């Protein structure tokens, strides 16, 4: 037989495009359209419905950037359409290739009842099936003219990302507003042909099944009268019935389809628009659930559920009904799908506390899976947090985006820093926006790396990023491949049902130990510095507010601000979303974030001040309040007292220029360039700075990645570097105990103050940058005379080791990594820490000196600022302040302590008396991360702590109040089956594994 595959495949495409799809709606009549453009921000639904619209014609331009237009469409169903299915086709000017990234609408009935959402892949509204003829149609559309930020020429700078700079030019052209007859037979024929055509293209060229499908498609095309598609569609479908009825092979890969609409809580749109995106999507999904009995939809991010409840109660009622039926499934158990690299220990824990508690309170449902399909890599401390929240499973897809190495598993155990393991699945379909295309399903089956041992995978199905969700076309396709030869089998299932099957068939999968590093989007650790600083500061202010409010409640009857803290925590957690905290959102999002963090700081400072004054009482005695988990200046952790005042540092001139700082514990040599050329540790008789190098060295790189400007830094950025060594000023500080350095470069200016705090073995570096560069990357370098094959960087509830070498491609790919408050390098018996108050990105490299002692130089570089132009063309422009410290002679315990110290500065209050801590721990390796009253208002005290040095610990935790009972709880403060620790009076004895996390709940006597 002659090979005519390409001929028939090309015929199928043209006939589908030019004859069959247009025949889905064979008859139509125009609707009358009027519009009212809301001034400013969106208005309440009642106001939009009541507004007086003006006529507008199809073909007219509409919609200023970020505007809201209320369309009223009216018409009458023709009498001759009686008995047929009729739909309104409402095309606001959509580009079908951009679902979620442009204009959208939510359709209402005149009484304000929401009907469904409109988006580029969902433009229809059912009027009747069948209609009687003569029905009056009256629909309102709340249409959002969100501008296209990421278009066909991506990553080009645009001012559309903020309503203050976007202008007023209409963005869209009203394209179609019709009533139309839906020919369901033709619609079904389209789905038949799409499924078979897509499946055929994925089968081997010599497979008999491919030719069986090819012939059936040819016969179906022969059966169609191109001048009467509607009259011959049924006959064409009959030609396809046999090939669509052949069951799948018993060995076929099995896919659990989960209806899904990944909605970024902010990204190329502001938070207020996400509230509406969620309403549109949930309205669509509840409608689809009513129409499709097998369909199941899962939605994560408790914050988004809360938005529906607060802002769209009519949609919320439908959501609650679908949840009760088990068809609309809460997923993930987190407040938002947060970044997991940068949030601190408590913040990461609270993501699960607030997320799971919302679903428990609203529905009585507890999630067993963390659901993070789009997060940019996963910190090594996360498994323990997931388990401590009562969950055991994780789903993500994003690691498939890695550019250097292919991850070796799709289903596996992920082991964290403390040994906790979480059953983890990466969908091999390699997208969280699966649309049930044959190419996607075939890719999932071919790509699945655990073939032969397992056969189940999951496919999140529906348009996402900007929302939209699953369409009726996807559901129809899934129905055809439920059991179809040549295709994986597909069944709609909940995440729980999938994971149950996956664990049952694969009880002993391989193990991956340590972080799940995404070999992409590394620059998200640095972009939008003020967003990151706001997050770090808010986390530590919340710690202080809870600690001092709880202490004041127990000691002085202070009213504990439960609701206020709950609200602030949720706001901070929202801003940890994986496009806000990483700095990859539009300018509008980050402008609002900066303002939000300022409000939060003022509010939390108010709580802290009121609680501390209640504790200190009236008096003029100077007191130091120490919120850190270690004693400081003679004041215990979590207490207040009079501070010791050791002798301060001296500043003297250095031979050859520059200055020497000396406080008896460290001697710092600063040369005439303002660079640190010596950091001498007298106790160890050891120099910290590598010979011939200088620390506190600012380095400037060009930074123009191949794509994803705010997200990526590509390895070639290192090929060119400018050392900033020229000084404008080099003078002793006004306090006489520091050195001030001023530099200018490009259009920017840096002022640094170097100081040695009294009685402390750390060099403080306060850096102020007035930053006005474009597409540049600013680093702060510390070349250390240290030989270390690995280094530690802090992560949630512990630290994680990374190699300093690049033996393999896996190590080489980690050329930019995340730390929290410290990085630490060590030779046996002596180490160095670099701590920070607000930065996350860093790199560590090593070289061997070729002359002199031929020793090893290990260089730590802190990432300070970037200047990408997309999606915010003015990213990070302006003044920034950073604080870092170099800590010579530091063990890992010193790194932990100094990291807390720099992030929790002392507060000085005048009062009448000292304040004893609520809890004390007799081992510095056991770090208390939270002291608070229980969320249920019982008055119980909750204390969370972990082993922080990476070893075994035996410690006694003593309560500073009478204890009636103590129990071990999970993160949600619920009792676990772990036996209570040994107790003697008000003290408990603890034995902790390396990095073990424990939450204790004390009932007060």
């Amino acid at each position: 037989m002659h090979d005519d595959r390409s001929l028939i495949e090309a015929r199928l495409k043209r006939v589908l495009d030019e004859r069959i799809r247009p025949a889905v709606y064979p008859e139509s009549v125009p609707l009358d359209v009027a519009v009212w453009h809301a001034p400013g921000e969106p208005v309440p639904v009642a106001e939009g419905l009541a507004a007086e619209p003006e006529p507008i014609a199809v073909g007219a331009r509409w919609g200023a950037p970020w505007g809201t237009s209320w369309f009223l469409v009216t018409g009458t169903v023709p009498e001759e359409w009686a008995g047929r299915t009729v739909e309104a086709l409402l095309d606001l000017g959509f580009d079908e290739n951009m679902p979620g990234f442009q204009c959208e609408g939510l359709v209402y009935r005149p009484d304000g009842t929401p009907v469904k959402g409109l988006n580029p892949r969902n433009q229809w509204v059912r009027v009747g099936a069948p209609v009687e003829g003569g029905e009056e149609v009256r629909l309102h559309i709340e249409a959002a003219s969100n501008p296209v930020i990421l278009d066909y020429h991506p990553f080009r700078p645009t001012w559309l990302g903020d309503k203050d700079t976007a202008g007023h030019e209409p963005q869209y052209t009203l394209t179609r507003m019709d009533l139309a007859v839906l020919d369901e037979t033709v619609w079904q024929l389209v789905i038949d042909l799409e499924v078979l055509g897509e499946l055929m293209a994925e089968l081997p060229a010599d497979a008999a099944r491919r030719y069986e499908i090819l012939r059936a498609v040819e016969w179906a095309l022969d059966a169609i009268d191109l001048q009467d598609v509607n009259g011959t569609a049924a006959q064409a479908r009959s030609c396809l019935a046999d090939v669509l009825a052949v069951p799948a092979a018993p060995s076929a890969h099995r896919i659990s389809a989960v209806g899904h609409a990944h909605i970024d809580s902010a990204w190329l749109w502001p938070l207020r628009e996400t509230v509406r995106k969620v309403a549109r999507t949930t309205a669509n999904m509840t409608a689809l659930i009513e129409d499709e009995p097998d369909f199941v939809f899962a939605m994560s991010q408790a914050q988004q559920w809360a938005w529906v409840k607060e802002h769209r109660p009519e949609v919320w009622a439908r959501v609650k009904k679908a949840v009760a039926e088990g068809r609309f499934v809460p997923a993930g158990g987190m407040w938002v799908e947060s970044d997991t690299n940068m949030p601190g220990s408590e913040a990461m824990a609270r993501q699960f506390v607030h997320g799971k508690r919302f679903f428990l309170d609203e529905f009585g449902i507890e999630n067993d899976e963390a659901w993070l399909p789009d997060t940019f890599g996963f910190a090594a401390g996360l498994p323990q947090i997931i388990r401590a929240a009562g969950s055991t499973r994780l789903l993500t897809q994003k690691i498939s985006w890695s550019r250097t190495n292919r991850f070796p598993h799709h289903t596996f155990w992920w082991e964290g820093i403390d040994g906790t393991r979480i059953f983890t699945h990466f969908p091999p379909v390699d997208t969280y926006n699966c649309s049930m295309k044959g190419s996607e399903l075939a890719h999932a089956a071919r790509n699945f790396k655990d073939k032969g041992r397992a056969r189940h995978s999951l496919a999140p199905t529906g348009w996402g990023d900007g929302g939209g969700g699953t369409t009726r076309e996807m559901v129809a396709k899934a129905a055809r491949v439920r059991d179809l030869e040549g295709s994986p089998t597909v069944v709609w299932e909940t995440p729980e049902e999938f994971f149950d099957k996956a664990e049952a068939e694969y009880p002993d999968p391989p193990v991956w130990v340590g972080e799940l590093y995404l070999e992409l989007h590394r620059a998200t650790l640095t972009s939008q510095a003020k967003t990151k600083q706001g997050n770090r500061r808010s986390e530590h202010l919340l710690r202080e507010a809870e600690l001092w409010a709880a202490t004041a409640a127990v000691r002085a009857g202070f009213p504990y601000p439960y609701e206020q803290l709950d609200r602030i925590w949720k706001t901070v957690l929202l801003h940890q979303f994986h496009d806000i905290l990483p700095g990859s959102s539009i300018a509008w999002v980050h402008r609002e974030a900066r303002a939000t963090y300022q409000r939060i700081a003022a509010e939390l400072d108010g709580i802290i001040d009121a609680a501390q004054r209640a504790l200190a009482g009236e008096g003029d005695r100077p007191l130091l309040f120490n919120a850190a988990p270690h004693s400081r200046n003679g004041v215990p952790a979590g207490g207040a007292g009079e501070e010791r005042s050791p002798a301060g540092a001296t500043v003297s001139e250095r031979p050859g220029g520059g200055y020497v700082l000396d406080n008896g514990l460290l001697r710092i040599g600063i040369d005439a360039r303002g660079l640190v050329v010596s950091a001498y540790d007298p106790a160890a008789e050891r120099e910290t700075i590598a010979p011939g190098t200088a620390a506190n060295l600012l380095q400037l790189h060009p930074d123009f990645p191949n794509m994803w400007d705010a997200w990526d830094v590509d390895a070639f950025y290192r090929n060119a570097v400018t050392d900033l060594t020229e000084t404008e000023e080099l003078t002793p500080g006004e306090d006489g105990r520091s050195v001030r350095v001023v530099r200018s470069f490009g259009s920017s200016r840096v002022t640094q103050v170097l100081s040695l705090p009294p009685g402390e073995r750390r060099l403080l570096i306060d850096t102020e940058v007035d930053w006005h560069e474009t597409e540049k990357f600013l680093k702060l370098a510390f070349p250390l005379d240290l030989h270390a094959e690995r280094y530690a960087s802090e992560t949630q509830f512990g630290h994680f080791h990374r190699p300093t070498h690049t033996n393999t491609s896996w190590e080489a790919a980690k050329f930019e990594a995340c730390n929290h408050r410290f990085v630490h390098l060590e030779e046996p018996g002596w180490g160095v820490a670099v701590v920070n108050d607000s930065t996350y990105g860093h790199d560590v490299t090593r070289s061997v000196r070729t002359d002199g002692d031929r020793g090893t130089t290990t260089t730590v570089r802190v990432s300070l600022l970037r200047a990408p132009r997309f999606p915010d063309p003015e990213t990070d422009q302006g003044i920034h302040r950073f604080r870092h410290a170099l800590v010579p002679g530091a063990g890992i315990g010193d790194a932990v302590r100094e990291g807390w110290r720099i992030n929790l500065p002392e507060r000085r209050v005048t009062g009448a008396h000292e304040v004893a801590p609520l809890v004390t721990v007799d081992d510095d390796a056991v770090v208390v991360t939270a002291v608070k009253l229980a969320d249920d208002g019982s008055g119980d005290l909750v204390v969370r702590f972990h082993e922080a040095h990476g070893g075994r610990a035996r410690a006694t935790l003593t309560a500073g109040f009478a204890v009636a009972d103590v129990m071990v709880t999970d993160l949600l403060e619920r009792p676990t089956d772990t036996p209570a620790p040994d107790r003697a009076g008000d003290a408990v004895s603890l034995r902790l594994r390396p990095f073990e996390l424990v939450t204790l709940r004390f009932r007060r006597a």
Side-chain angles (χ1 to χ4, degrees):
M1 182 190 299
H2 298 295
D3 187 351
D4 57 356
R5 285 176 301 138
S6 60
L7 183 69
I8 296 171
E9 289 165 3
R11 180 187 179 194
L12 171 62
K13 182 180 186 308
R14 184 175 185 192
V15 172
L16 262 175
D17 289 345
E18 297 184 24
R19 292 292 189 272
I20 303 177
R21 288 194 184 99
V24 169
Y25 292 102
E27 299 176 56
S28 64
V29 295
L31 289 159
D32 294 322
V33 189
V35 67
W36 175 73
H37 303 293
E41 284 295 279
V43 300
V45 173
E47 185 175 342
L49 295 176
E52 290 293 331
E54 296 181 353
I56 185 174
V58 168
R61 300 283 290 168
W62 72 277
W66 306 115
T68 300
S69 298
W70 282 84
F71 290 93
L72 171 63
V73 295
T74 57
T76 304
V77 176
E79 297 284 354
E80 59 270 24
W81 289 1
R84 304 171 78 178
T85 298
V86 175
E87 295 182 341
L89 301 182
L90 308 174
D91 187 344
L92 300 173
F94 296 125
D95 180 339
E96 289 193 356
N97 294 316
M98 291 188 177
F101 290 91
Q102 52 175 247
C103 61
E104 299 173 56
L106 183 55
V107 180
Y108 296 89
R109 295 188 179 92
D111 64 359
T113 304
V115 181
K116 67 187 295 287
L118 297 176
N119 63 59
R121 297 297 181 103
N122 211 323
Q123 303 177 22
W124 57 273
V125 175
R126 182 64 58 87
V127 171
V131 295
E132 295 179 358
E135 292 95 334
E136 294 296 323
V137 176
R138 187 179 183 89
L139 298 171
H140 298 263
I141 307 167
E142 181 190 16
S145 50
N146 303 330
V148 176
I149 306 294
L150 188 70
D151 63 11
Y152 291 101
H153 303 283
F155 317 119
R156 290 187 179 177
T158 174
W159 295 103
L160 291 171
D162 194 328
K163 65 176 181 178
D164 291 344
T165 60
H168 303 284
E169 185 70 22
Q171 299 293 295
Y172 297 99
T173 301
L174 200 63
T175 301
R176 185 177 187 182
M177 294 276 157
D178 288 347
L179 284 179
V181 173
L182 171 67
D183 188 325
E184 295 189 61
T185 302
V186 176
W187 186 87
Q188 296 286 358
L189 176 62
V190 170
I191 302 299
D192 290 345
L193 289 170
E194 286 182 350
V195 167
L196 290 172
E198 291 164 4
L199 173 60
M200 181 168 58
E202 298 300 323
L203 294 171
D206 58 354
R209 175 64 170 164
R210 179 162 184 164
Y211 282 90
E212 290 172 359
I213 296 173
L214 185 77
R215 293 303 154 220
V217 167
E218 181 181 30
W219 298 331
L221 296 177
D222 289 343
I224 294 172
D225 181 343
L226 298 184
Q227 277 66 52
D228 185 17
V229 172
N230 302 89
T232 54
Q235 183 178 348
R237 288 202 72 200
S238 68
C239 297
L240 303 173
D242 287 346
V243 290
L244 284 168
V246 181
S251 60
H253 184 67
R254 298 178 180 180
I255 292 177
S256 296
V258 178
H260 186 240
H262 173 67
I263 303 178
D264 288 309
S265 290
W267 179 28
L268 304 180
W269 45 85
L271 286 167
R272 66 92 154 142
E273 192 56 35
T274 313
V275 175
R276 303 200 296 176
K277 284 178 173 285
V278 174
R280 297 172 198 129
T281 297
T282 51
N284 267 356
M285 295 304 95
T286 52
L288 192 60
I289 283 170
E290 292 173 359
D291 292 341
E292 301 289 347
D294 294 331
F295 176 61
V296 175
F297 181 77
M299 189 168 90
S300 66
Q301 307 192 74
Q303 171 68 89
Q304 295 187 1
W305 292 70
W307 280 333
V308 178
K309 180 182 180 183
E310 178 183 358
H311 296 282
R312 291 293 190 272
E314 301 87 353
V315 179
W316 179 248
R318 288 159 53 177
V319 168
K320 288 185 68 175
K321 177 177 180 292
V323 171
E325 296 169 352
R327 307 275 306 285
F328 199 118
V329 182
M334 296 175 68
W335 190 247
V336 295
E337 290 181 12
S338 72
D339 180 84
T340 75
N341 287 312
M342 291 176 282
S345 304
E346 272 304 307
M348 200 72 254
R350 304 299 176 96
Q351 286 286 352
F352 288 91
V353 169
H354 288 282
K356 296 194 81 169
R357 188 171 287 147
F358 180 88
F359 294 138
L360 282 164
D361 290 347
E362 295 293 336
F363 308 114
I365 291 174
E366 180 160 9
N367 303 104
D368 198 32
E369 76 287 339
W371 184 275
L372 292 163
D374 191 31
T375 296
F376 309 150
F378 301 88
L382 188 57
Q384 180 174 207
I385 297 171
I386 294 173
R387 184 77 68 165
S391 297
T392 62
R393 298 157 167 175
L394 168 68
L395 179 136
T396 184
Q397 179 271 323
K398 199 67 171 189
I399 300 300
S400 71
W401 285 41
S402 286
R403 291 290 176 83
T404 305
N405 300 284
R406 297 294 296 172
F407 198 80
H409 319 297
H410 280 109
T411 302
F412 58 99
W413 286 113
W414 177 29
E415 181 178 317
I417 54 174
D418 73 313
T420 296
R421 291 181 176 180
I422 295 295
F423 191 83
T424 303
H425 181 68
F426 293 173
V429 70
D430 280 350
T431 178
Y432 50 78
N433 295 326
C434 177
S435 61
M436 284 291 133
K437 285 184 179 178
S439 56
E440 294 170 335
L441 303 181
H443 175 76
R446 286 193 299 263
N447 188 41
F448 189 52
K449 291 182 170 61
D450 304 290
K451 290 188 284 282
R453 299 180 182 273
R455 58 194 304 188
H456 283 85
S457 72
L458 185 146
T461 302
W463 300 115
D465 289 320
T470 319
T471 65
R472 61 183 178 183
E473 289 79 11
M474 297 175 194
V475 176
K477 285 188 172 185
R480 286 158 174 78
V481 295
R482 183 181 182 93
D483 188 14
L484 181 64
E485 184 186 0
S487 171
T489 65
V490 175
V491 61
W492 295 105
E493 291 187 304
T494 66
E496 180 182 19
E497 289 169 332
F498 161 74
F499 273 108
D500 285 347
K501 290 180 178 179
E503 285 196 73
E505 74 174 359
Y506 206 12
D508 190 24
V511 178
W512 181 269
V513 178
E515 67 183 334
L516 293 171
Y517 180 91
L518 177 63
E519 296 170 354
L520 194 72
H521 293 358
R522 302 167 182 89
T524 57
L525 303 173
T526 306
S527 296
Q528 298 287 1
K530 287 185 178 176
T531 299
K532 292 170 171 58
Q533 289 177 325
N535 173 74
R536 180 76 70 86
R537 184 72 179 128
S538 297
E539 289 180 351
H540 288 86
L541 285 171
L542 277 161
R543 171 196 170 81
E544 288 191 85
E546 289 182 338
L547 169 66
W548 299 125
T551 305
V554 173
R555 296 267 188 264
F558 181 80
Y560 191 81
Y562 291 101
E563 293 182 2
Q564 191 177 9
L565 289 171
D566 179 80
R567 172 176 49 78
I568 295 172
W569 261 119
K570 288 173 179 174
T571 301
V572 172
L573 299 177
L574 167 59
H575 285 78
Q576 291 177 340
F577 178 75
H578 65 252
D579 277 307
I580 303 179
L581 180 54
S584 46
S585 288
I586 55 174
W588 187 349
V589 173
H590 293 289
R591 172 172 56 80
E592 288 190 332
R594 292 190 294 270
T596 298
Y597 286 131
Q598 288 178 350
R599 289 194 301 271
I600 285 172
E603 199 171 349
L604 291 171
D605 277 330
I607 295 172
I608 294 164
D609 180 69
Q612 289 180 338
R613 292 190 181 281
L615 287 164
E618 295 293 331
D620 57 5
R621 185 179 177 184
L623 298 172
L624 181 148
F625 277 77
N626 174 22
H630 309 92
S631 62
R632 177 187 298 180
N633 293 350
V635 178
E642 294 185 9
E643 66 177 313
R644 294 194 305 247
S645 298
T650 61
V651 180
S652 59
E653 292 189 359
R654 177 178 176 271
Y659 298 92
V660 175
L661 286 170
D662 194 334
N663 69 352
L665 299 176
L666 280 181
R667 187 165 66 248
I668 305 298
I670 302 167
D671 71 4
R673 302 169 298 171
L675 302 178
V676 175
V677 292
S678 174
Y680 185 72
D681 177 1
E685 299 181 340
R686 175 151 181 173
E687 176 58 61
T688 306
I689 309 303
T693 68
N696 190 41
L697 174 63
L698 290 163
Q699 295 184 303
L700 192 66
H701 294 270
D703 183 20
F704 189 62
N706 289 345
M707 57 194 304
W708 298 108
D709 295 41
W711 295 257
D712 283 358
V713 56
D714 290 331
F716 54 72
Y717 89 91
R718 291 181 172 180
N719 296 348
V721 61
T722 300
D723 292 343
L724 304 179
T725 59
E726 299 295 322
T727 60
E728 288 187 2
E729 298 178 33
L730 179 64
T731 59
E734 293 181 0
D735 59 2
R737 297 179 178 180
S738 60
V739 173
R740 182 172 181 268
V741 187
V742 179
R743 311 181 193 279
S744 292
F745 60 94
S747 301
S748 303
R749 182 179 174 90
V750 177
T751 301
Q752 291 184 301
V753 176
L754 286 69
S755 61
L756 286 176
E760 298 176 16
R761 193 173 56 187
R762 58 178 179 146
L763 170 65
L764 271 180
I765 303 171
D766 289 285
T767 303
E768 179 181 287
V769 186
D770 190 2
W771 179 248
H772 297 284
E773 304 307 301
T774 297
E775 294 163 351
K776 296 289 193 294
F777 196 5
L778 184 65
K779 292 259 187 177
L780 180 63
F782 298 89
L784 308 174
D785 187 10
L786 201 69
H787 179 85
E789 294 186 359
R790 66 177 191 170
Y791 73 97
S793 62
E794 188 185 31
T795 189
Q796 293 98 0
F797 298 111
H799 55 266
F800 176 68
H801 287 101
R802 297 186 184 94
T804 60
H805 57 75
T806 54
N807 280 0
T808 72
S809 59
W810 294 88
E811 291 140 2
K814 295 184 180 183
F815 59 81
E816 184 80 3
C818 183
N819 68 285
H820 287 186
R821 289 167 290 220
F822 69 80
V823 295
H824 178 255
L825 301 94
E826 189 171 32
E827 291 177 3
W830 194 84
V832 178
V834 177
V835 301
N836 72 84
D837 75 341
S838 59
T839 56
Y840 297 91
H842 70 279
D843 67 84
V844 177
T845 55
R846 67 203 299 261
S847 61
V848 175
R849 301 187 285 274
T850 57
D851 54 5
D853 64 355
R854 292 186 293 177
T856 300
T857 298
T858 305
T859 300
V860 177
R861 297 199 308 162
V862 177
S863 302
L864 296 183
L865 290 165
R866 299 183 66 239
R869 300 189 65 209
F870 182 88
D872 177 1
E874 291 195 325
T875 301
D876 280 332
Q877 301 300 296
I879 295 175
H880 303 270
R881 295 178 179 89
F882 306 96
R883 172 169 278 198
H884 294 84
L886 178 69
V887 190
I892 192 66
D894 300 307
V896 173
R897 184 186 64 250
E898 295 301 332
W900 279 101
R901 178 193 292 266
I902 203 170
N903 282 273
L904 281 170
E906 303 93 337
R907 291 180 183 262
R908 290 172 173 81
V909 177
T910 56
H913 46 76
E914 296 184 348
V915 179
L918 276 186
V919 293
T920 58
V921 184
D922 65 356
D923 185 346
D924 272 358
V926 178
V927 171
V928 175
T929 61
V931 177
K932 59 188 290 292
L933 294 193
D935 291 340
D936 61 7
S938 64
D940 292 356
L941 189 79
V942 173
V943 181
R944 188 150 34 249
F945 52 90
H946 70 288
E947 195 289 318
H949 293 182
R952 302 270 174 171
R954 298 182 64 177
T956 299
L957 188 150
T958 304
F961 53 89
V963 174
D965 191 20
V966 61
M967 66 184 74
V968 179
T969 73
D970 64 7
L971 294 180
L972 277 70
E973 302 168 6
R974 303 173 298 189
T976 69
D977 56 6
T978 303
D982 294 336
R983 177 178 155 218
D986 299 329
V988 294
S989 298
L990 307 168
R991 291 173 178 255
L992 275 72
R993 302 184 310 274
F995 301 127
E996 183 179 0
L997 165 64
V998 178
T999 304
L1000 294 182
R1001 179 169 178 154
F1002 292 86
R1003 183 163 59 86
R1004 291 187 280 150

